[in-house]
Amino acid sequence: MTPDITQLIEDAFSKEKREQARQYIGASGIGQSCDASIAFSFRGYPDTPPDSRLKRIFRDGHRIEDVVIKDMRKAGLHVMEKDPMSGKQWRFEGYGGLVMGNADGLMEVGKDTIGVEIKSMNDAKHKEFVKKGIKASHSHYYDQMQFMMGLSGIKTFVMVAYNKNTSAYHHEYIEFDEFRYAYLTSKVERVLVNDAAKCSEDESDWRCRGCFKFDACWHGALPDERSVRTCGNSYATNDGKMRCNKCDGTTCADWTAYVPKSRG
């Protein structure tokens, strides 16, 4: 009997261990329309598991990032994808380490440093980016770069997009917009002081159906650990620490699940 290769691959991906949820506000998610989704990420609540196909899309996206860096270097561009001090991606932090952004690279152009963000796109999305520009075609990517510029002090980022269907490239340089950054930090502050709200009161809303925090938000999926960070009574302080309204700030004797505010 010949093996069912397709089903075996699907089964192998479905058995993968769930990745540990991040516990910070990331630049990649700051452009979301829902504060509650950002808050669940910040508090370390689990993602709704992606299906096998989506896992492979994410995997291939990371692989393409490496290819793009190599192509940029082949073109004679000086791109550093890792911080030589840490050996890891360039990371920029704020709010005492509660907020972070990871850049795909830094590019030196003369005396200037330009941040690099790389995305792989299907043909339709790539054409939309070419036609409209990143702010109109993918506003969440635009916000991701604005947020990293605000955290890092870098004044220019470049979006380099690779078409997965045709292998075509397109890029766009983005300048820092202090007003957009102020808007994004207002979202951060709502999350940190426990003032985040859902974007909808209907779980069938398209924004909710595709959200990685769907199960946490609508069906009570709980974090792996009960801590001050995951407790619904806690809030963040200016020094990057978590405090709880009902305990000494280090343990949670009266732990309760985090619930975002209703949309008002």
PDB file of all heavy atoms in Angstrom, residues 11 15 26 29 35 41 73 92 127 164 176 186 198 226 258:
ATOM      1  N   ASP A  11      -0.713  15.701   8.798  1.00  0.00           N
ATOM      2  CA  ASP A  11      -0.711  15.165  10.158  1.00  0.00           C
ATOM      3  C   ASP A  11       0.551  15.589  10.909  1.00  0.00           C
ATOM      4  O   ASP A  11       0.505  15.913  12.105  1.00  0.00           O
ATOM      5  CB  ASP A  11      -0.799  13.631  10.126  1.00  0.00           C
ATOM      6  CG  ASP A  11      -2.150  13.127   9.633  1.00  0.00           C
ATOM      7  OD1 ASP A  11      -3.104  13.936   9.597  1.00  0.00           O
ATOM      8  OD2 ASP A  11      -2.243  11.943   9.273  1.00  0.00           O
ATOM      9  N   LYS A  15       0.658  17.992  14.425  1.00  0.00           N
ATOM     10  CA  LYS A  15       1.186  17.474  15.685  1.00  0.00           C
ATOM     11  C   LYS A  15       2.298  18.335  16.268  1.00  0.00           C
ATOM     12  O   LYS A  15       2.797  18.045  17.360  1.00  0.00           O
ATOM     13  CB  LYS A  15       1.699  16.049  15.480  1.00  0.00           C
ATOM     14  CG  LYS A  15       0.607  15.022  15.168  1.00  0.00           C
ATOM     15  CD  LYS A  15       1.205  13.666  14.858  1.00  0.00           C
ATOM     16  CE  LYS A  15       0.121  12.661  14.478  1.00  0.00           C
ATOM     17  NZ  LYS A  15       0.718  11.346  14.095  1.00  0.00           N
ATOM     18  N   GLY A  26       4.445  43.851  20.137  1.00  0.00           N
ATOM     19  CA  GLY A  26       5.380  43.802  19.025  1.00  0.00           C
ATOM     20  C   GLY A  26       5.016  44.769  17.915  1.00  0.00           C
ATOM     21  O   GLY A  26       3.836  45.051  17.684  1.00  0.00           O
ATOM     22  N   GLY A  29       2.453  43.724  15.227  1.00  0.00           N
ATOM     23  CA  GLY A  29       1.017  43.687  15.513  1.00  0.00           C
ATOM     24  C   GLY A  29       0.408  45.031  15.842  1.00  0.00           C
ATOM     25  O   GLY A  29      -0.809  45.134  16.010  1.00  0.00           O
ATOM     26  N   ASP A  35      -7.507  46.806  19.673  1.00  0.00           N
ATOM     27  CA  ASP A  35      -6.638  46.932  20.846  1.00  0.00           C
ATOM     28  C   ASP A  35      -6.628  45.652  21.679  1.00  0.00           C
ATOM     29  O   ASP A  35      -5.614  45.300  22.290  1.00  0.00           O
ATOM     30  CB  ASP A  35      -7.110  48.092  21.728  1.00  0.00           C
ATOM     31  CG  ASP A  35      -6.821  49.452  21.126  1.00  0.00           C
ATOM     32  OD1 ASP A  35      -6.187  49.519  20.057  1.00  0.00           O
ATOM     33  OD2 ASP A  35      -7.243  50.465  21.731  1.00  0.00           O
ATOM     34  N   SER A  41      -1.888  39.606  23.234  1.00  0.00           N
ATOM     35  CA  SER A  41      -0.503  39.271  22.899  1.00  0.00           C
ATOM     36  C   SER A  41       0.438  39.741  24.004  1.00  0.00           C
ATOM     37  O   SER A  41       1.334  39.007  24.437  1.00  0.00           O
ATOM     38  CB  SER A  41      -0.113  39.921  21.569  1.00  0.00           C
ATOM     39  OG  SER A  41      -0.815  39.355  20.495  1.00  0.00           O
ATOM     40  N   ARG A  73      22.652  41.850  -1.147  1.00  0.00           N
ATOM     41  CA  ARG A  73      24.121  41.856  -1.067  1.00  0.00           C
ATOM     42  C   ARG A  73      24.745  41.599  -2.436  1.00  0.00           C
ATOM     43  O   ARG A  73      25.771  42.186  -2.795  1.00  0.00           O
ATOM     44  CB  ARG A  73      24.587  40.803  -0.065  1.00  0.00           C
ATOM     45  CG  ARG A  73      24.340  41.207   1.382  1.00  0.00           C
ATOM     46  CD  ARG A  73      24.775  40.125   2.326  1.00  0.00           C
ATOM     47  NE  ARG A  73      24.658  40.546   3.715  1.00  0.00           N
ATOM     48  CZ  ARG A  73      24.549  39.719   4.739  1.00  0.00           C
ATOM     49  NH1 ARG A  73      24.540  38.409   4.528  1.00  0.00           N
ATOM     50  NH2 ARG A  73      24.432  40.171   5.967  1.00  0.00           N
ATOM     51  N   PHE A  92      14.617  46.687  18.804  1.00  0.00           N
ATOM     52  CA  PHE A  92      14.443  48.008  19.397  1.00  0.00           C
ATOM     53  C   PHE A  92      13.348  47.915  20.451  1.00  0.00           C
ATOM     54  O   PHE A  92      12.317  47.286  20.234  1.00  0.00           O
ATOM     55  CB  PHE A  92      14.066  49.027  18.321  1.00  0.00           C
ATOM     56  CG  PHE A  92      14.930  48.940  17.092  1.00  0.00           C
ATOM     57  CD1 PHE A  92      14.397  48.556  15.873  1.00  0.00           C
ATOM     58  CD2 PHE A  92      16.285  49.207  17.162  1.00  0.00           C
ATOM     59  CE1 PHE A  92      15.188  48.454  14.737  1.00  0.00           C
ATOM     60  CE2 PHE A  92      17.094  49.113  16.045  1.00  0.00           C
ATOM     61  CZ  PHE A  92      16.542  48.741  14.824  1.00  0.00           C
ATOM     62  N   LYS A 127       1.003  43.363  -6.643  1.00  0.00           N
ATOM     63  CA  LYS A 127       0.547  44.353  -7.622  1.00  0.00           C
ATOM     64  C   LYS A 127      -0.147  45.522  -6.936  1.00  0.00           C
ATOM     65  O   LYS A 127      -0.023  46.679  -7.369  1.00  0.00           O
ATOM     66  CB  LYS A 127      -0.387  43.696  -8.638  1.00  0.00           C
ATOM     67  CG  LYS A 127       0.331  42.790  -9.627  1.00  0.00           C
ATOM     68  CD  LYS A 127      -0.646  42.131 -10.585  1.00  0.00           C
ATOM     69  CE  LYS A 127       0.098  41.286 -11.616  1.00  0.00           C
ATOM     70  NZ  LYS A 127      -0.830  40.556 -12.521  1.00  0.00           N
ATOM     71  N   LYS A 164       5.912  36.153  -4.729  1.00  0.00           N
ATOM     72  CA  LYS A 164       6.099  34.709  -4.648  1.00  0.00           C
ATOM     73  C   LYS A 164       5.693  33.989  -5.933  1.00  0.00           C
ATOM     74  O   LYS A 164       6.125  32.863  -6.176  1.00  0.00           O
ATOM     75  CB  LYS A 164       5.306  34.142  -3.468  1.00  0.00           C
ATOM     76  CG  LYS A 164       5.817  34.584  -2.116  1.00  0.00           C
ATOM     77  CD  LYS A 164       5.088  33.908  -0.981  1.00  0.00           C
ATOM     78  CE  LYS A 164       3.669  34.435  -0.814  1.00  0.00           C
ATOM     79  NZ  LYS A 164       3.017  33.885   0.411  1.00  0.00           N
ATOM     80  N   PHE A 176       9.986  58.777   8.541  1.00  0.00           N
ATOM     81  CA  PHE A 176       9.341  58.785   9.863  1.00  0.00           C
ATOM     82  C   PHE A 176       8.253  59.855   9.932  1.00  0.00           C
ATOM     83  O   PHE A 176       8.446  60.996   9.516  1.00  0.00           O
ATOM     84  CB  PHE A 176      10.378  59.044  10.942  1.00  0.00           C
ATOM     85  CG  PHE A 176       9.816  59.074  12.343  1.00  0.00           C
ATOM     86  CD1 PHE A 176       9.093  57.996  12.834  1.00  0.00           C
ATOM     87  CD2 PHE A 176      10.014  60.168  13.171  1.00  0.00           C
ATOM     88  CE1 PHE A 176       8.571  58.013  14.120  1.00  0.00           C
ATOM     89  CE2 PHE A 176       9.508  60.194  14.460  1.00  0.00           C
ATOM     90  CZ  PHE A 176       8.778  59.116  14.938  1.00  0.00           C
ATOM     91  N   SER A 186      -0.377  55.819  21.431  1.00  0.00           N
ATOM     92  CA  SER A 186      -1.625  55.934  22.200  1.00  0.00           C
ATOM     93  C   SER A 186      -2.296  54.567  22.332  1.00  0.00           C
ATOM     94  O   SER A 186      -2.914  54.266  23.358  1.00  0.00           O
ATOM     95  CB  SER A 186      -2.577  56.935  21.537  1.00  0.00           C
ATOM     96  OG  SER A 186      -3.104  56.441  20.314  1.00  0.00           O
ATOM     97  N   LYS A 198     -12.382  45.624  22.623  1.00  0.00           N
ATOM     98  CA  LYS A 198     -12.583  44.836  21.413  1.00  0.00           C
ATOM     99  C   LYS A 198     -12.972  45.751  20.252  1.00  0.00           C
ATOM    100  O   LYS A 198     -13.570  46.803  20.446  1.00  0.00           O
ATOM    101  CB  LYS A 198     -13.710  43.819  21.621  1.00  0.00           C
ATOM    102  CG  LYS A 198     -13.410  42.700  22.600  1.00  0.00           C
ATOM    103  CD  LYS A 198     -14.594  41.743  22.654  1.00  0.00           C
ATOM    104  CE  LYS A 198     -14.336  40.570  23.575  1.00  0.00           C
ATOM    105  NZ  LYS A 198     -15.474  39.614  23.587  1.00  0.00           N
ATOM    106  N   ARG A 226      -0.388  31.215  35.423  1.00  0.00           N
ATOM    107  CA  ARG A 226      -1.144  32.261  36.114  1.00  0.00           C
ATOM    108  C   ARG A 226      -0.140  33.161  36.819  1.00  0.00           C
ATOM    109  O   ARG A 226       0.465  32.760  37.812  1.00  0.00           O
ATOM    110  CB  ARG A 226      -2.125  31.644  37.111  1.00  0.00           C
ATOM    111  CG  ARG A 226      -3.194  30.806  36.437  1.00  0.00           C
ATOM    112  CD  ARG A 226      -4.321  30.438  37.373  1.00  0.00           C
ATOM    113  NE  ARG A 226      -5.411  29.788  36.678  1.00  0.00           N
ATOM    114  CZ  ARG A 226      -6.615  29.572  37.195  1.00  0.00           C
ATOM    115  NH1 ARG A 226      -6.860  29.950  38.464  1.00  0.00           N
ATOM    116  NH2 ARG A 226      -7.550  28.989  36.496  1.00  0.00           N
ATOM    117  N   TYR A 258      -7.901  37.689  32.004  1.00  0.00           N
ATOM    118  CA  TYR A 258      -8.013  39.019  31.398  1.00  0.00           C
ATOM    119  C   TYR A 258      -9.207  39.074  30.455  1.00  0.00           C
ATOM    120  O   TYR A 258      -9.409  38.178  29.636  1.00  0.00           O
ATOM    121  CB  TYR A 258      -6.740  39.368  30.630  1.00  0.00           C
ATOM    122  CG  TYR A 258      -6.893  40.611  29.791  1.00  0.00           C
ATOM    123  CD1 TYR A 258      -6.979  41.867  30.391  1.00  0.00           C
ATOM    124  CD2 TYR A 258      -6.987  40.530  28.408  1.00  0.00           C
ATOM    125  CE1 TYR A 258      -7.145  43.011  29.623  1.00  0.00           C
ATOM    126  CE2 TYR A 258      -7.141  41.673  27.645  1.00  0.00           C
ATOM    127  CZ  TYR A 258      -7.225  42.901  28.254  1.00  0.00           C
ATOM    128  OH  TYR A 258      -7.403  44.033  27.491  1.00  0.00           O
TER     129      TYR A 258
END
